[in-house]
Coordinates of all heavy atoms in Angstrom, one line a residue:
N152 N -12.2 11.4 -3.1 CA -12.4 10.5 -4.2 C -11.5 9.4 -4.4 O -11.5 8.6 -5.5 CB -12.3 11.4 -5.6 CG -13.4 12.5 -5.5 OD1 -14.6 12.1 -5.5 ND2 -13.0 13.7 -5.9
M153 N -10.6 9.1 -3.4 CA -9.7 8.0 -3.3 C -10.5 6.7 -3.0 O -11.4 6.7 -2.2 CB -8.7 8.2 -2.3 CG -7.6 7.1 -2.3 SD -6.3 7.2 -0.9 CE -5.5 8.7 -1.7
S154 N -10.1 5.6 -3.7 CA -10.8 4.4 -3.4 C -9.9 3.7 -2.3 O -8.8 3.5 -2.4 CB -10.8 3.5 -4.6 OG -11.5 4.2 -5.7
V155 N -10.6 3.1 -1.3 CA -10.0 2.6 -0.1 C -10.4 1.2 0.2 O -11.6 1.0 0.4 CB -10.1 3.5 1.1 CG1 -9.4 2.9 2.3 CG2 -9.5 4.8 0.8
F156 N -9.6 0.2 0.2 CA -10.0 -1.2 0.6 C -9.2 -1.5 1.8 O -8.0 -1.5 1.8 CB -9.7 -2.2 -0.5 CG -10.1 -3.7 -0.3 CD1 -11.2 -4.2 -0.8 CD2 -9.3 -4.4 0.7 CE1 -11.6 -5.5 -0.5 CE2 -9.7 -5.8 1.0 CZ -10.8 -6.3 0.2
I157 N -9.9 -1.7 3.0 CA -9.2 -2.0 4.2 C -9.8 -3.5 4.6 O -10.9 -3.7 4.5 CB -9.6 -1.0 5.3 CG1 -9.1 0.4 4.9 CG2 -9.2 -1.5 6.7 CD1 -9.5 1.5 5.8
S158 N -8.8 -4.3 5.1 CA -9.1 -5.6 5.6 C -8.4 -5.9 6.8 O -7.2 -5.4 7.0 CB -9.1 -6.7 4.5 OG -7.7 -6.9 4.2
H159 N -8.9 -6.8 7.7 CA -8.3 -7.2 9.0 C -8.7 -8.5 9.4 O -9.9 -9.0 9.1 CB -8.7 -6.2 10.0 CG -7.6 -5.8 10.9 ND1 -6.7 -4.7 10.8 CD2 -7.2 -6.4 12.0 CE1 -5.9 -4.8 11.6 NE2 -6.0 -5.8 12.5
G160 N -7.8 -9.2 10.0 CA -8.1 -10.6 10.6 C -8.7 -10.5 12.0 O -8.4 -9.7 12.8
E161 N -9.8 -11.2 12.0 CA -10.7 -11.2 13.2 C -9.8 -11.7 14.5 O -10.2 -11.3 15.6 CB -11.9 -11.9 13.1 CG -13.0 -11.3 12.0 CD -14.0 -12.2 11.6 OE1 -14.1 -13.3 12.2 OE2 -14.8 -11.8 10.6
Y162 N -9.0 -12.4 14.2 CA -8.2 -13.0 15.3 C -6.6 -12.7 15.3 O -5.7 -13.4 15.7 CB -8.2 -14.6 15.2 CG -9.6 -15.1 15.2 CD1 -10.1 -15.8 14.0 CD2 -10.6 -14.8 16.2 CE1 -11.4 -16.1 13.9 CE2 -11.9 -15.3 16.1 CZ -12.3 -15.9 15.0 OH -13.7 -16.3 14.8
D163 N -6.4 -11.5 14.8 CA -5.0 -11.0 14.6 C -4.4 -10.8 15.9 O -4.9 -9.8 16.7 CB -5.0 -9.8 13.8 CG -3.6 -9.2 13.3 OD1 -2.7 -9.6 14.1 OD2 -3.5 -8.6 12.3
P164 N -3.4 -11.4 16.4 CA -2.7 -11.3 17.6 C -1.7 -10.2 17.7 O -1.2 -9.7 18.8 CB -2.0 -12.6 17.9 CG -1.7 -13.1 16.4 CD -2.7 -12.6 15.6
V165 N -1.3 -9.7 16.5 CA -0.4 -8.6 16.4 C -1.1 -7.2 16.5 O -0.7 -6.4 17.3 CB 0.5 -8.7 15.2 CG1 1.5 -7.6 15.1 CG2 1.1 -10.0 15.1
F166 N -2.1 -6.9 15.6 CA -2.8 -5.8 15.6 C -4.3 -6.3 15.8 O -5.0 -6.8 14.7 CB -2.7 -5.1 14.2 CG -1.2 -4.6 14.0 CD1 -0.9 -4.6 12.6 CD2 -0.4 -4.2 14.9 CE1 0.5 -4.2 12.3 CE2 0.9 -3.8 14.7 CZ 1.3 -3.8 13.4
P167 N -4.9 -6.1 16.9 CA -6.3 -6.5 17.1 C -7.3 -5.9 16.1 O -7.0 -4.8 15.5 CB -6.6 -5.9 18.5 CG -5.4 -5.9 19.2 CD -4.4 -5.5 18.0
Q168 N -8.5 -6.6 15.9 CA -9.4 -6.1 14.9 C -9.9 -4.8 15.2 O -10.4 -4.0 14.3 CB -10.6 -7.1 14.9 CG -11.6 -6.8 13.7 CD -12.9 -7.6 13.9 OE1 -12.9 -8.7 14.3 NE2 -14.0 -7.0 13.6
Q169 N -9.9 -4.3 16.5 CA -10.4 -2.9 16.8 C -9.6 -2.0 16.1 O -10.1 -0.9 15.5 CB -10.1 -2.7 18.3 CG -11.2 -3.4 19.2 CD -10.6 -4.9 19.6 OE1 -9.8 -5.4 18.9 NE2 -10.9 -5.1 20.9
L170 N -8.3 -2.2 15.6 CA -7.5 -1.4 14.7 C -8.0 -1.2 13.4 O -8.2 -0.3 12.7 CB -6.1 -1.7 14.8 CG -5.3 -1.6 16.1 CD1 -3.9 -2.1 16.1 CD2 -5.3 0.0 16.5
G171 N -8.4 -2.4 12.8 CA -9.0 -2.4 11.6 C -10.4 -1.6 11.5 O -10.7 -0.8 10.6
D172 N -11.2 -1.8 12.7 CA -12.5 -1.1 12.9 C -12.2 0.4 12.8 O -12.9 1.2 12.2 CB -13.2 -1.4 13.9 CG -13.6 -2.9 14.0 OD1 -13.7 -3.5 12.9 OD2 -13.9 -3.5 15.2
A173 N -11.1 0.8 13.5 CA -10.7 2.1 13.6 C -10.3 2.8 12.2 O -10.6 3.9 11.9 CB -9.7 2.4 14.7
N174 N -9.5 2.0 11.5 CA -9.1 2.3 10.1 C -10.2 2.7 9.3 O -10.3 3.8 8.6 CB -8.1 1.3 9.5 CG -6.9 1.0 10.3 OD1 -6.5 1.9 11.0 ND2 -6.5 -0.3 10.1
H175 N -11.3 1.8 9.3 CA -12.4 1.9 8.5 C -13.1 3.2 9.0 O -13.6 4.0 8.0 CB -13.3 0.7 8.8 CG -14.7 0.8 8.2 ND1 -15.8 0.4 8.8 CD2 -15.1 1.4 6.8 CE1 -16.9 0.7 7.9 NE2 -16.4 1.3 6.8
A176 N -13.3 3.5 10.3 CA -14.1 4.7 10.6 C -13.4 6.0 10.3 O -14.0 6.9 9.8 CB -14.3 4.5 12.3
Y177 N -12.0 5.9 10.3 CA -11.3 7.1 10.0 C -11.4 7.4 8.6 O -11.8 8.5 8.2 CB -9.8 6.8 10.4 CG -8.9 8.0 10.2 CD1 -8.9 9.0 11.1 CD2 -8.1 8.1 9.2 CE1 -8.1 10.2 11.0 CE2 -7.3 9.2 9.0 CZ -7.3 10.2 9.9 OH -6.5 11.3 9.7
F178 N -11.2 6.4 7.7 CA -11.2 6.7 6.2 C -12.8 6.9 5.7 O -12.9 7.7 4.8 CB -10.6 5.6 5.4 CG -9.1 5.9 5.3 CD1 -8.2 5.1 6.0 CD2 -8.6 6.8 4.4 CE1 -6.8 5.4 6.0 CE2 -7.3 7.1 4.2 CZ -6.4 6.3 5.0
R179 N -13.7 6.4 6.5 CA -15.1 6.5 6.0 C -15.4 8.0 6.3 O -16.2 8.6 5.6 CB -16.0 5.6 6.8 CG -17.4 5.6 6.3 CD -18.1 4.6 7.1 NE -18.1 4.9 8.6 CZ -18.7 4.0 9.5 NH1 -19.1 2.9 9.1 NH2 -18.5 4.4 10.8
G180 N -14.8 8.7 7.3 CA -15.1 10.1 7.4 C -14.4 11.0 6.5 O -14.7 12.1 6.4
L181 N -13.4 10.4 5.6 CA -12.7 11.3 4.7 C -13.0 11.0 3.2 O -12.9 11.8 2.4 CB -11.2 11.0 4.9 CG -10.6 11.5 6.3 CD1 -9.1 11.0 6.5 CD2 -10.8 12.9 6.5
S182 N -13.3 9.6 2.9 CA -13.4 9.2 1.6 C -14.9 8.7 1.3 O -15.6 8.2 2.2 CB -12.4 8.1 1.2 OG -12.8 7.5 -0.1
N183 N -15.3 8.9 0.1 CA -16.6 8.5 -0.4 C -16.6 6.9 -0.8 O -17.7 6.5 -1.2 CB -17.2 9.4 -1.3 CG -17.6 10.8 -0.9 OD1 -17.8 10.9 0.2 ND2 -17.7 11.8 -1.7
H184 N -15.5 6.5 -0.9 CA -15.3 5.1 -1.5 C -14.6 4.2 -0.7 O -13.4 3.8 -1.1 CB -14.7 5.4 -2.9 CG -15.3 6.4 -3.7 ND1 -16.6 6.2 -4.4 CD2 -14.9 7.7 -3.9 CE1 -16.9 7.4 -5.0 NE2 -16.1 8.2 -4.8
V185 N -15.0 3.8 0.4 CA -14.4 2.8 1.2 C -15.0 1.5 1.4 O -16.4 1.4 1.6 CB -14.3 3.5 2.8 CG1 -13.6 2.5 3.7 CG2 -13.6 4.8 2.6
T186 N -14.3 0.4 1.3 CA -14.7 -0.9 1.5 C -13.9 -1.6 2.7 O -12.7 -1.3 2.8 CB -14.4 -1.8 0.2 OG1 -15.2 -1.3 -0.9 CG2 -14.8 -3.2 0.3
Y187 N -14.5 -2.2 3.5 CA -14.0 -2.8 4.7 C -14.5 -4.2 4.9 O -15.8 -4.4 4.8 CB -14.3 -2.0 5.9 CG -13.8 -2.6 7.3 CD1 -12.5 -3.0 7.3 CD2 -14.6 -2.8 8.4 CE1 -11.9 -3.4 8.5 CE2 -14.1 -3.3 9.6 CZ -12.7 -3.5 9.7 OH -12.2 -4.1 10.8
K188 N -13.6 -5.2 5.0 CA -13.9 -6.6 5.2 C -13.0 -7.0 6.2 O -11.8 -6.8 6.4 CB -13.6 -7.4 3.8 CG -14.6 -6.9 2.6 CD -14.4 -7.8 1.5 CE -15.3 -7.5 0.4 NZ -16.8 -7.9 0.7
T189 N -13.6 -8.0 7.1 CA -12.9 -8.9 8.0 C -13.0 -10.3 7.6 O -13.9 -10.8 7.0 CB -13.3 -8.6 9.5 OG1 -14.8 -9.0 9.5 CG2 -13.4 -7.1 9.8
Y190 N -11.9 -11.0 8.1 CA -11.9 -12.5 7.7 C -11.5 -13.3 9.0 O -10.8 -12.7 9.9 CB -10.8 -12.7 6.7 CG -11.0 -12.0 5.4 CD1 -10.5 -10.5 5.4 CD2 -11.8 -12.5 4.5 CE1 -10.8 -9.8 4.1 CE2 -12.0 -11.8 3.3 CZ -11.6 -10.5 3.1 OH -11.9 -9.7 2.0
A191 N -12.0 -14.5 9.1 CA -11.6 -15.3 10.1 C -10.2 -15.9 10.1 O -10.0 -16.9 9.7 CB -12.6 -16.6 10.2
A192 N -9.3 -14.9 10.5 CA -7.9 -15.2 10.2 C -7.1 -14.4 11.2 O -7.7 -13.6 12.1 CB -7.6 -14.6 8.8
A193 N -5.9 -14.7 11.3 CA -4.9 -14.1 12.2 C -4.2 -13.0 11.4 O -4.8 -12.2 10.7 CB -3.9 -15.1 12.8
H194 N -3.0 -12.9 11.7 CA -2.2 -11.8 11.0 C -1.6 -12.4 9.7 O -0.4 -12.8 9.6 CB -0.9 -11.5 11.9 CG -0.3 -10.0 11.5 ND1 -1.0 -8.9 11.5 CD2 1.0 -9.7 11.1 CE1 -0.3 -7.9 11.2 NE2 1.0 -8.5 10.9
E195 N -2.4 -12.4 8.7 CA -2.1 -13.1 7.5 C -3.2 -12.6 6.4 O -4.1 -11.9 6.7 CB -2.4 -14.6 7.7 CG -3.7 -15.0 8.1 CD -3.9 -16.5 8.5 OE1 -3.3 -17.3 7.8 OE2 -4.6 -16.7 9.5
V196 N -2.9 -13.0 5.2 CA -3.7 -12.8 4.1 C -4.3 -14.1 3.6 O -3.6 -15.0 3.1 CB -3.0 -12.1 2.9 CG1 -3.9 -11.8 1.8 CG2 -2.4 -10.7 3.4
T197 N -5.7 -14.3 3.7 CA -6.3 -15.5 3.4 C -6.5 -15.5 1.8 O -6.6 -14.6 1.2 CB -7.6 -15.7 4.1 OG1 -8.5 -14.7 3.7 CG2 -7.4 -15.7 5.7
S198 N -7.0 -16.7 1.3 CA -7.3 -16.8 0.0 C -8.5 -16.0 -0.4 O -8.6 -15.4 -1.5 CB -7.5 -18.2 -0.5 OG -8.5 -18.9 0.3
D199 N -9.6 -15.9 0.5 CA -10.7 -15.0 0.3 C -10.3 -13.6 0.3 O -10.9 -12.8 -0.5 CB -11.7 -15.4 1.5 CG -12.4 -16.6 1.4 OD1 -12.3 -17.3 0.3 OD2 -13.1 -17.2 2.4
N200 N -9.5 -13.3 1.2 CA -9.0 -11.8 1.2 C -8.3 -11.5 0.0 O -8.7 -10.4 -0.7 CB -8.0 -11.7 2.3 CG -7.8 -10.2 2.7 OD1 -7.0 -10.0 3.6 ND2 -8.2 -9.2 2.0
R201 N -7.5 -12.4 -0.6 CA -6.8 -12.2 -1.9 C -7.8 -12.1 -2.9 O -7.6 -11.2 -3.8 CB -5.8 -13.3 -2.1 CG -5.0 -13.3 -3.4 CD -4.0 -14.4 -3.4 NE -3.4 -14.5 -4.7 CZ -2.5 -15.4 -5.1 NH1 -2.2 -16.4 -4.1 NH2 -2.0 -15.4 -6.1
R202 N -8.7 -13.0 -3.1 CA -9.7 -13.0 -4.1 C -10.5 -11.6 -4.1 O -10.6 -11.0 -5.1 CB -10.8 -14.0 -3.9 CG -11.9 -14.1 -5.0 CD -13.1 -14.9 -4.3 NE -13.6 -14.2 -3.0 CZ -14.1 -14.9 -2.1 NH1 -14.2 -16.2 -2.0 NH2 -14.6 -14.1 -1.0

Side-chain angles (χ1 to χ4, degrees):
N152 294 311
M153 182 184 291
S154 301
V155 179
F156 182 103
I157 295 168
S158 66
H159 217 91
E161 295 167 4
Y162 310 113
D163 189 331
V165 181
F166 301 146
Q168 185 191 324
Q169 291 92 323
L170 291 173
D172 297 342
N174 297 335
H175 174 219
Y177 185 80
F178 273 100
R179 191 175 56 189
L181 299 174
S182 168
N183 291 334
H184 310 283
V185 180
T186 297
Y187 179 49
K188 292 182 177 289
T189 61
Y190 300 89
H194 196 65
E195 60 189 321
V196 180
T197 66
S198 58
D199 287 345
N200 194 175
R201 178 178 172 181
R202 177 203 64 214

